[in-house]
């Protein structure tokens, strides 16, 4: 923790003599209103270029974008809870003052913020809090159009847990909660948890060959729902698995799907010609998809983010593992330097390099999300990152390819495909070692025609329908195995 500085006569701290004097005279304005006239500022002082606030249940982020690297110290004050930040070498300007109005009444953690010139060459921020928080204060270097950033992440003392959230939404039975344990890394060469051997996919490919198509294209002759024969096989398999459990206990088998709307918060993703941000469009599509999937029997969905805030790549994967997801679907809207590029794509992880130069370029671009979004690498869990990024398995990639083919075949029915097969590259967000994972590029937001479609409610519904049908098709040919949970 930074060393707590001595408190000078400070009108920004409740109870200080100067604040009492100001109140006695009836003044209610903050010192920030008059400080510039009272305190001469040195030439060449840093300037705040922009201020942003990103409130969310998981944490609230405050960002100060500035023209140079800032040095800040902070300390906490209790009863009532406050966080005090002193920033050196900073000129108090109108942009910084506007931070006061940026804090909304529904912010989970910040009640309001006060800004003032604490002493020559030092600006003080006081965050009046709704509860005690666990702050992280760090800087981010210039990247992707951003200047230097000073970032304040205010986390609750008890972090929001995705499993707890799903329990609160009554999507897990108490028996499942009691039986839930972290998933161990999958062993190379074995099917991943919740998946069966890959035999049914051969039938899918054979059906496609007889129809004169490929699995990555629409398959009108292949039913979306399983045939009665296949349904009987799935039911028989489930019954056999139930008998195999100790004591013949009853199996509770809900399918859990993690949906990952890309980007968010400080990371807008790609931006279309009319100003549409990828982060907003993919969140809307994910919410529509969530509703459609949860309307199916025995299906529940976890969103890695449900609002406009940034989630680091590793945390997206870890959230899916915490709820023991059966599938992970990351949703994006592609962009390219040429506006003529168009079409939908589906990507899975690759162990041996990208399947094309375009796939490699896209993966490299998407993997910059942590730099653009702003991650406190000083507190980054390197051990967790090693587990997530080094233990990907052949079985996970094999299952992911099956899922990708099923989803791409359905998307091909509503939009042109950028490439008629599932592509592979080293996407960091797909590196859960034990969950079949795909990344869906819904369309090119950099293409004006496709941007207009992506902004259309009807088309977003079509995309959600297509991905839902693809997931149903995947489970029709790859029914989930029973997990070690009892009800």
């Amino acid at each position: 923790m930074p060393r707590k500085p001595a408190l000078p006569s400070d009108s920004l701290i409740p109870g200080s003599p100067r604040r009492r004097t100001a109140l006695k005279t009836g003044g209610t304005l903050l010192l920030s209103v008059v400080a510039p006239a009272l305190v001469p500022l040195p030439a060449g002082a840093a300037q705040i270029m922009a201020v942003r606030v990103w409130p969310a249940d998981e944490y609230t982020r405050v960002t100060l974008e500035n023209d140079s690297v800032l040095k800040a110290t902070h300390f906490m004050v209790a009863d009532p809870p406050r966080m005090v930040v002193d920033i050196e070498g900073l000129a108090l300007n109108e942009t910084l003052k506007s931070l006061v109005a940026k804090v909304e009444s529904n912010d989970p953690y910040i009640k309001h913020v006060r800004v003032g010139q604490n002493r020559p060459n030092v600006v003080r921020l006081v965050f009046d809090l709704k509860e005690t928080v666990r702050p992280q204060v760090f800087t981010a270097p210039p990247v992707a159009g951003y200047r230097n950033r000073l970032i304040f992440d205010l986390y609750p003392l008890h972090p929001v847990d995705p499993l707890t959230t799903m329990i609160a939404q009554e999507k897990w039975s108490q028996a499942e909660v009691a039986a839930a344990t972290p998933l161990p890394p999958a062993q190379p060469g074995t099917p991943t948890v919740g998946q069966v051997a890959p035999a049914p996919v051969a039938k899918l490919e054979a059906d496609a060959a007889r129809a004169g198509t490929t699995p990555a294209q629409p398959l009108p002759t292949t039913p979306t729902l399983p045939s009665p024969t296949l349904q009987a096989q799935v039911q028989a398999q489930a019954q056999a698995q139930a008998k195999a459990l100790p004591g013949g206990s009853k199996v509770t088998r809900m399918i859990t799907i993690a949906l990952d709307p890309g980007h968010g918060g400080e990371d807008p993703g790609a931006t279309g010609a009319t100003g549409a941000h990828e982060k907003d469009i993919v969140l809307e599509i994910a919410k529509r998809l969530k509703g459609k999937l949860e309307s199916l029997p025995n299906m529940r969905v976890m969103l890695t983010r449900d609002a406009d805030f940034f989630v680091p790549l590793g945390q997206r994967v870890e959230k899916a593992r915490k709820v023991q997801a059966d599938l992970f679907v990351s949703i994006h809207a592609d962009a390219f330097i040429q506006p003529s590029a168009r079409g939908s794509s589906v990507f899975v992880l690759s162990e041996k390099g990208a399947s094309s130069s375009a796939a490699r370029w896209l993966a490299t671009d998407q993997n910059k999300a942590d730099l653009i979004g702003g991650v406190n690498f000083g507190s980054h869990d390197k051990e967790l990152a090693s587990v997530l990024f080094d233990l990907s398995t052949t079985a996970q990639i094999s299952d992911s390819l099956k899922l990708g083919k099923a989803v791409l075949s359905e998307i091909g029915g509503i939009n042109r495909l950028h490439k008629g097969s599932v592509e592979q590259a080293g996407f960091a967000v797909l590196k859960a070692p034990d969950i079949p994972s795909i990344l869906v590029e819904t369309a090119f937001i950099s293409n004006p025609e496709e941007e207009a479609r992506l902004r259309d409610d009807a088309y977003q519904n079509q995309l959600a329908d297509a991905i839902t049908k693809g997931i149903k098709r995947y489970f029709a040919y790859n029914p989930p195995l029973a997990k070690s949970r009892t009800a």
Side-chain angles (χ1 to χ4, degrees):
M1 287 290 293
R3 181 177 59 86
K4 179 176 177 179
L7 291 177
S9 56
D10 176 18
S11 66
L12 296 181
I13 299 295
S16 66
R18 287 182 62 186
R19 188 170 192 271
R20 286 196 297 268
T21 301
L23 290 175
K24 287 179 181 178
T25 61
T28 58
L29 296 179
L30 291 175
L31 182 59
S32 60
V33 177
V34 297
L38 298 177
V39 183
L41 296 173
Q47 292 288 323
I48 297 295
M49 316 298 292
V51 295
R52 296 179 290 274
V53 180
W54 308 100
D57 288 340
E58 294 197 17
Y59 72 105
T60 288
R61 167 169 290 189
V62 177
T63 301
L64 308 184
E65 189 175 353
N66 43 278
D67 60 0
S68 62
V69 179
L70 296 178
K71 180 181 179 182
T73 57
H74 71 281
F75 60 94
M76 305 301 295
V77 179
D79 194 26
R82 288 152 289 165
M83 183 176 79
V84 181
V85 181
D86 286 341
I87 308 174
E88 298 181 13
L90 183 62
L92 184 61
N93 62 9
E94 293 300 321
T95 302
L96 184 54
K97 291 180 187 178
S98 71
L99 179 62
V100 174
K102 299 273 186 181
V103 176
E104 300 178 357
S105 59
N106 62 348
D107 190 298
Y109 304 110
I110 303 176
K111 187 181 299 182
H112 46 75
V113 62
R114 291 167 284 153
V115 184
Q117 197 76 44
N118 176 249
R119 55 189 185 274
N121 208 32
V122 176
V123 166
R124 170 164 288 186
L125 311 180
V126 177
F127 294 91
D128 294 298
L129 305 172
K130 294 180 178 179
E131 62 179 72
T132 304
V133 299
R134 182 171 49 85
Q136 291 188 12
V137 180
F138 61 99
T139 58
V143 64
Y146 284 127
R147 306 288 289 273
N148 291 278
R149 286 173 289 171
L150 177 62
I151 298 175
F152 310 96
D153 286 348
L154 308 183
Y155 290 90
L157 291 181
H158 303 289
V160 175
D161 181 77
L163 180 57
T164 302
T165 301
M166 294 190 80
I167 294 170
Q169 296 171 349
E170 298 181 350
K171 293 178 182 177
W172 282 66
S173 69
Q174 291 302 315
E176 285 183 293
V177 175
T181 55
L183 291 173
Q187 296 300 315
T190 61
T192 57
V193 174
Q195 303 302 317
V196 297
V201 106
K203 181 179 184 302
L204 175 63
E205 293 171 344
D207 290 345
R210 286 193 294 273
T213 65
T214 67
Q217 297 171 330
L219 301 176
T221 59
T222 304
T224 300
L225 294 175
S227 65
T229 301
L230 184 56
Q231 286 177 330
Q233 292 174 349
V234 173
Q235 186 176 7
Q237 183 184 40
Q239 291 174 347
Q241 291 164 352
K243 292 179 181 178
L245 289 177
S249 54
K250 180 183 176 182
V251 175
T252 300
R253 187 63 175 101
M254 291 284 288
I255 294 174
T256 304
I257 298 176
L259 297 182
D260 174 48
H263 310 283
E266 288 286 287
D267 177 16
T271 301
T274 65
H277 292 314
E278 177 182 6
K279 65 175 183 177
D280 299 323
I281 287 174
V282 298
L283 179 59
E284 288 302 312
I285 294 172
K287 288 180 176 179
R288 294 176 190 273
L289 178 56
K290 180 177 185 289
K292 293 179 185 297
L293 288 171
E294 289 184 336
S295 69
L296 302 176
N298 302 320
M299 196 82 73
R300 61 191 166 203
V301 175
M302 183 272 296
L303 291 174
T304 59
R305 69 176 181 95
D306 57 4
D308 187 13
F309 63 97
F310 178 70
V311 182
L313 298 174
Q315 287 186 20
R316 295 170 187 263
V317 179
E318 183 62 10
K319 284 184 176 185
R321 300 186 83 233
K322 282 185 176 179
V323 299
Q324 298 194 14
D326 294 283
L327 300 179
F328 180 91
V329 180
S330 192
I331 303 171
H332 293 258
D334 212 345
F336 195 61
I337 54 176
Q338 297 177 348
S340 58
R342 62 180 299 163
S344 302
S345 306
V346 175
F347 295 84
V348 303
L349 187 63
S350 171
E351 286 184 308
K352 301 178 180 179
S355 57
S356 68
S357 58
R360 183 182 306 107
W361 179 88
L362 181 62
T364 301
D365 186 62
Q366 295 287 3
N367 290 346
K368 294 176 182 176
D370 282 354
L371 294 175
I372 299 171
V375 170
N376 185 2
F377 289 101
S379 64
H380 202 51
D381 192 334
K382 296 181 176 60
E383 183 177 350
L384 171 61
S386 175
V387 170
L388 295 179
F389 298 124
D390 294 337
L391 291 181
S392 56
T393 67
T394 301
Q396 187 261 24
I397 293 175
S398 175
D399 288 333
S400 299
L401 282 167
K402 298 169 199 172
L403 173 62
K405 289 178 181 179
V407 170
L408 191 63
S409 68
E410 295 293 344
I411 293 179
I414 64 166
N415 192 33
R416 171 181 173 179
L417 297 180
H418 185 65
K419 189 173 181 180
S421 60
V422 176
E423 296 201 69
Q424 293 183 255
F427 290 91
V429 79
L430 300 181
K431 294 186 177 181
D434 40 29
I435 306 172
S437 304
I438 63 172
L439 186 147
V440 178
E441 292 286 0
T442 53
F444 278 85
I445 197 173
S446 53
N447 180 297
E449 181 183 342
E450 293 203 332
E451 180 194 11
R453 297 187 73 191
L454 285 168
R455 299 183 72 167
D456 180 66
D457 290 347
Y459 183 65
Q460 290 184 8
N461 266 322
Q462 284 183 304
L463 281 170
D465 278 333
I467 298 172
T468 299
K469 291 177 182 177
I471 291 172
K472 287 169 64 177
R473 175 183 290 195
Y474 169 78
F475 281 120
Y477 287 90
N478 302 272
L481 292 173
K483 290 183 179 178
S484 309
R485 301 188 182 117
T486 58

